[in-house]
Coordinates of all heavy atoms in Angstrom, one line a residue:
A21 N 62.6 46.7 62.5 CA 61.4 45.7 62.6 C 61.9 44.2 62.2 O 61.5 43.3 62.7 CB 60.3 46.2 61.6
G22 N 62.8 44.2 61.1 CA 63.3 42.9 60.7 C 64.1 42.3 61.8 O 64.1 41.1 62.1
A23 N 65.0 43.1 62.5 CA 65.8 42.6 63.6 C 64.9 42.1 64.7 O 65.2 41.0 65.3 CB 66.7 43.7 64.2
A24 N 63.8 42.7 65.0 CA 62.9 42.3 66.0 C 62.3 41.0 65.6 O 62.1 40.0 66.4 CB 61.8 43.4 66.2
A25 N 61.9 40.9 64.3 CA 61.3 39.6 63.8 C 62.3 38.4 64.0 O 61.9 37.3 64.1 CB 60.8 39.7 62.4
L26 N 63.5 38.7 63.8 CA 64.5 37.7 63.9 C 65.0 37.4 65.3 O 65.9 36.6 65.5 CB 65.8 38.1 63.0 CG 65.6 38.2 61.6 CD1 66.9 38.7 60.9 CD2 65.2 36.8 61.0
G27 N 64.4 38.1 66.3 CA 64.7 37.9 67.7 C 65.9 38.6 68.1 O 66.4 38.3 69.3
M28 N 66.5 39.6 67.4 CA 67.6 40.4 68.0 C 67.2 41.3 69.0 O 66.2 42.0 68.8 CB 68.3 41.1 66.7 CG 69.0 40.2 65.8 SD 69.8 41.2 64.5 CE 71.0 42.2 65.5
G29 N 67.9 41.4 70.1 CA 67.6 42.3 71.1 C 67.9 43.8 70.8 O 68.5 44.1 69.8
F30 N 67.6 44.6 71.7 CA 67.9 46.0 71.6 C 69.3 46.3 71.4 O 69.8 47.1 70.5 CB 67.3 46.8 72.7 CG 67.7 48.3 72.8 CD1 66.9 49.2 72.1 CD2 68.7 48.8 73.5 CE1 67.2 50.5 72.1 CE2 69.0 50.1 73.5 CZ 68.3 51.0 72.8
T31 N 70.2 45.8 72.3 CA 71.6 46.0 72.3 C 72.3 45.6 71.0 O 73.0 46.5 70.3 CB 72.3 45.3 73.5 OG1 71.8 45.9 74.8 CG2 73.9 45.6 73.4
P32 N 72.2 44.4 70.5 CA 72.9 44.1 69.2 C 72.4 44.8 68.1 O 73.2 45.2 67.1 CB 72.6 42.6 69.1 CG 71.5 42.3 69.9 CD 71.5 43.2 71.0
T33 N 71.0 45.2 68.1 CA 70.5 45.9 66.9 C 71.1 47.3 66.8 O 71.6 47.7 65.8 CB 69.0 46.1 67.0 OG1 68.4 44.7 67.0 CG2 68.4 46.8 65.7
L34 N 71.1 48.1 67.9 CA 71.7 49.5 68.0 C 73.2 49.4 67.8 O 73.8 50.3 67.2 CB 71.3 50.2 69.1 CG 70.0 51.2 68.8 CD1 68.8 50.4 68.7 CD2 69.9 52.1 70.0
A35 N 73.8 48.4 68.4 CA 75.3 48.4 68.3 C 75.7 48.1 66.9 O 76.7 48.7 66.4 CB 75.8 47.2 69.2
L36 N 75.0 47.3 66.1 CA 75.3 47.1 64.7 C 75.1 48.3 63.9 O 76.0 48.6 63.1 CB 74.5 45.9 64.2 CG 74.7 45.6 62.7 CD1 76.2 45.1 62.6 CD2 73.7 44.4 62.3
A37 N 74.0 49.0 64.2 CA 73.8 50.3 63.4 C 74.8 51.3 63.7 O 75.3 51.9 62.8 CB 72.4 50.8 63.8
G38 N 75.2 51.4 65.0 CA 76.2 52.4 65.3 C 77.6 52.0 64.7 O 78.3 52.9 64.2
A39 N 77.9 50.8 64.8 CA 79.3 50.4 64.4 C 79.4 50.5 62.8 O 80.4 50.8 62.3 CB 79.5 48.9 64.7
L40 N 78.3 50.3 62.1 CA 78.3 50.5 60.7 C 78.3 51.9 60.2 O 79.0 52.4 59.2 CB 77.1 49.7 60.0 CG 77.1 48.3 60.0 CD1 75.8 47.7 59.4 CD2 78.3 47.7 59.3
S41 N 77.7 52.8 61.0 CA 77.5 54.2 60.7 C 78.8 55.0 60.8 O 79.0 56.0 60.1 CB 76.4 54.8 61.4 OG 76.7 54.9 62.8
V42 N 79.6 54.7 61.8 CA 80.8 55.4 62.0 C 81.8 55.4 60.9 O 82.2 56.5 60.4 CB 81.5 55.0 63.4 CG1 82.9 55.7 63.5 CG2 80.6 55.2 64.6
P43 N 82.2 54.3 60.4 CA 83.1 54.4 59.2 C 82.5 55.0 58.0 O 83.2 55.6 57.2 CB 83.5 52.9 58.9 CG 82.4 52.1 59.6 CD 81.9 53.0 60.8
V44 N 81.2 54.7 57.8 CA 80.5 55.4 56.6 C 80.6 56.9 56.7 O 80.9 57.6 55.8 CB 79.1 54.9 56.5 CG1 78.4 55.6 55.3 CG2 79.0 53.3 56.2
A45 N 80.3 57.4 57.9 CA 80.3 58.8 58.1 C 81.8 59.4 57.9 O 81.9 60.5 57.3 CB 79.8 59.2 59.5
L46 N 82.7 58.7 58.3 CA 84.1 59.2 58.1 C 84.4 59.3 56.6 O 85.1 60.2 56.1 CB 85.1 58.2 58.9 CG 85.0 58.4 60.5 CD1 85.9 57.2 61.0 CD2 85.5 59.7 60.9
V47 N 84.0 58.3 55.8 CA 84.3 58.3 54.4 C 83.5 59.4 53.7 O 84.1 60.1 52.9 CB 83.9 56.9 53.8 CG1 84.0 57.0 52.3 CG2 84.8 55.8 54.3
L48 N 82.3 59.6 54.0 CA 81.5 60.7 53.4 C 82.1 62.0 53.7 O 82.0 63.0 52.9 CB 80.1 60.6 53.9 CG 79.3 59.4 53.5 CD1 77.8 59.4 54.2 CD2 79.0 59.4 52.0
G49 N 82.8 62.2 54.8 CA 83.3 63.5 55.2 C 84.4 64.0 54.2 O 84.7 65.2 54.3
R50 N 84.9 63.2 53.5 CA 86.0 63.6 52.5 C 85.5 64.5 51.4 O 86.2 65.2 50.8 CB 86.7 62.4 51.9 CG 87.4 61.5 53.0 CD 88.1 60.3 52.3 NE 87.1 59.5 51.5 CZ 87.5 58.4 50.8 NH1 88.8 58.1 50.7 NH2 86.6 57.8 50.1
D51 N 84.2 64.4 51.1 CA 83.6 65.0 50.0 C 82.8 66.3 50.2 O 82.3 66.9 49.4 CB 82.8 64.1 49.1 CG 83.6 62.9 48.5 OD1 84.7 63.2 48.1 OD2 83.1 61.8 48.4
Y52 N 82.7 66.7 51.5 CA 81.9 67.8 51.8 C 82.6 69.1 51.2 O 83.9 69.1 51.2 CB 81.8 68.0 53.3 CG 81.0 66.9 54.0 CD1 81.4 66.4 55.2 CD2 79.9 66.2 53.4 CE1 80.7 65.4 55.9 CE2 79.3 65.2 54.0 CZ 79.7 64.8 55.2 OH 79.0 63.8 55.9
L53 N 81.9 70.1 50.9 CA 82.4 71.4 50.4 C 82.8 72.2 51.6 O 82.2 72.3 52.6 CB 81.3 72.1 49.6 CG 80.9 71.6 48.2 CD1 80.0 72.5 47.5 CD2 82.2 71.4 47.4
C54 N 83.9 73.0 51.3 CA 84.2 74.0 52.3 C 83.4 75.3 52.1 O 83.3 75.8 51.0 CB 85.7 74.4 52.1 SG 86.3 75.6 53.3
D55 N 82.8 75.8 53.2 CA 81.9 76.8 53.1 C 82.5 78.1 53.8 O 83.2 77.9 54.8 CB 80.4 76.6 53.6 CG 80.5 75.9 54.9 OD1 81.5 75.3 55.3 OD2 79.4 75.9 55.6
P56 N 82.0 79.3 53.2 CA 82.6 80.5 54.0 C 82.0 80.6 55.4 O 80.9 80.2 55.7 CB 82.0 81.7 53.2 CG 81.7 81.1 51.8 CD 81.3 79.6 52.0

């Protein structure tokens, strides 16, 4: 909603969310437990 209020279009908003989420997900993966 804030991106919309600032005039950011669909493409840059989702591209930014996706670009930020990939490295965060990779870092979080180091701490998952091994399950049977």
Side-chain angles (χ1 to χ4, degrees):
L26 293 174
M28 288 182 64
F30 174 84
T31 296
T33 303
L34 259 71
L36 181 60
L40 291 176
S41 65
V42 172
V44 173
L46 290 172
V47 170
L48 293 175
R50 299 181 303 178
D51 292 329
Y52 299 143
L53 288 183
C54 182
D55 46 344

